[in-house]
Every structure is written in C-alpha cells, then in structure tokens.
Amino acid sequence: NTDFPLVIMLHGGGGDKNVIQAFSQLNPVANALGYIAVYPQGYESVAIGGFSWADGRGTTADNAGIDDVGFIQSLINQLKSDYNIDGQRVYIAGFSNGGFMAQTLTCEIPEEFAAAAALGSSLGVQQAADCTTDEATPMMYVVGTADPEIPYNGGTMTNPNVEPIIGVEAA
C-alpha cells in the first residue's frame, strides 16, 4: 500500500542496461531507501557496438527514427499501472548519451519528472534551442572540467557524428 519513488537510469551510447546498472550501483541504495530503480535499454546500433538513445543530437537512434520519448513515456505509464509509483516522485538520470536523453525528456514531458540528473553530458546546441517548455525541472550535472569527451565550456565533442554542445554552466 506504499507509493514508491521511481528512478529511471539511462545508459550511455554504446552501453546497455547491464552496464549502467553495475556502474550506477543504484540497487543497494534503492533497497535501503525504498525506491524502485529501472534501467531501460535504448536502440541497438551495430555501428557503435551497443545501444543508443534518440536524444535529438543526431545519434544512431535519431537517424533510425526511434521515438525514445514515447518509449520512456510508455514505460512510466506501464510502471505506474503495475506498481505503486508515487507520480510526484519520478526521477530521470543518465550517463553520457543517457544524460542528453534525460534532458530531452525533461524538455518534452517535464510534467513526468520531479528532478533529473545528467552525468558526463551537457546539452546539445539544437537540444537547447528546441527546449521551449515553461516548466522548470531541477537538474543536477556531474561533469568534469577536464573530460576529453564533453568540453565543459561547450563546443565540438570527440564524436564527430553528433551536434556541438553548449557549456555546462549555460545548460
């Protein structure tokens, strides 16, 4: 009869649900604090040797026409139907490509999330331009200033196939 908070953790590009589950170590914390942790898996891409999210930056999942916003919305609805989920305490987090996807989700369906976290990611230039929601979602960034993949002050990432990003402070 208890309503549980829900934390959805998204893997990075080239990763999968098992990698992010092991990396994040959310299960012991979820068990100790009483929330449900979920690790969905994105679109399988042979090109990157793993899975990716259609976060709006031109990823392999974007180029394949995958609707990951719809997928995550359906997942949330199914979890609310199957479990006692507190709809006011649904959180989204992700690493790298998953962090960019978490931000896309807070722009597209902000009403679903109490807060979000982006680890090892900033915000794509076009993502920022496309995010026109009036709803503010609390956001935590975990980014290193010397990260070789995610330039802290923005610019071109080492992956030349995705759009440039804005700086973490601007995001």
Side-chain angles (χ1 to χ4, degrees):
N1 294 327
T2 302
D3 287 340
F4 293 97
L6 171 65
V7 175
I8 301 170
M9 185 67 185
L10 306 175
H11 60 77
D16 63 30
K17 64 187 184 318
N18 298 318
V19 169
I20 196 64
Q21 184 176 6
F23 173 77
S24 68
Q25 291 293 301
L26 289 179
N27 286 353
V29 181
N31 291 338
L33 298 180
Y35 66 86
I36 296 173
V38 175
Y39 310 89
Q41 188 158 279
Y43 168 74
E44 184 172 13
S45 171
V46 175
I48 62 171
F51 297 82
S52 75
W53 298 104
D55 64 21
R57 296 176 306 126
T59 66
T60 54
D62 285 317
N63 295 336
I66 303 300
D67 177 13
D68 278 328
V69 172
F71 168 60
I72 298 297
Q73 179 71 75
S74 294
L75 175 64
I76 292 168
N77 291 341
Q78 189 65 50
L79 291 167
K80 285 178 178 178
S81 174
D82 292 348
Y83 302 98
N84 292 336
I85 301 295
D86 180 345
Q88 300 301 306
R89 295 189 296 165
V90 176
Y91 305 92
I92 187 77
F95 174 71
S96 190
N97 173 221
F100 286 100
M101 186 67 211
Q103 293 173 92
T104 294
L105 290 161
T106 61
C107 286
E108 301 267 337
I109 52 172
E111 67 281 357
E112 289 293 349
F113 304 106
L119 295 80
S121 58
S122 175
L123 188 59
V125 170
Q126 193 58 51
Q127 276 184 299
D130 291 345
C131 188
T132 58
T133 181
D134 289 333
E135 274 190 61
T137 302
M139 175 70 68
M140 178 179 76
Y141 287 93
V142 180
V143 183
T145 56
D147 186 328
E149 178 65 26
I150 306 294
Y152 188 84
N153 294 316
T156 303
M157 296 175 53
T158 58
N159 178 351
N161 299 319
V162 295
E163 70 176 51
I165 61 173
I166 64 175
V168 174
E169 300 292 330

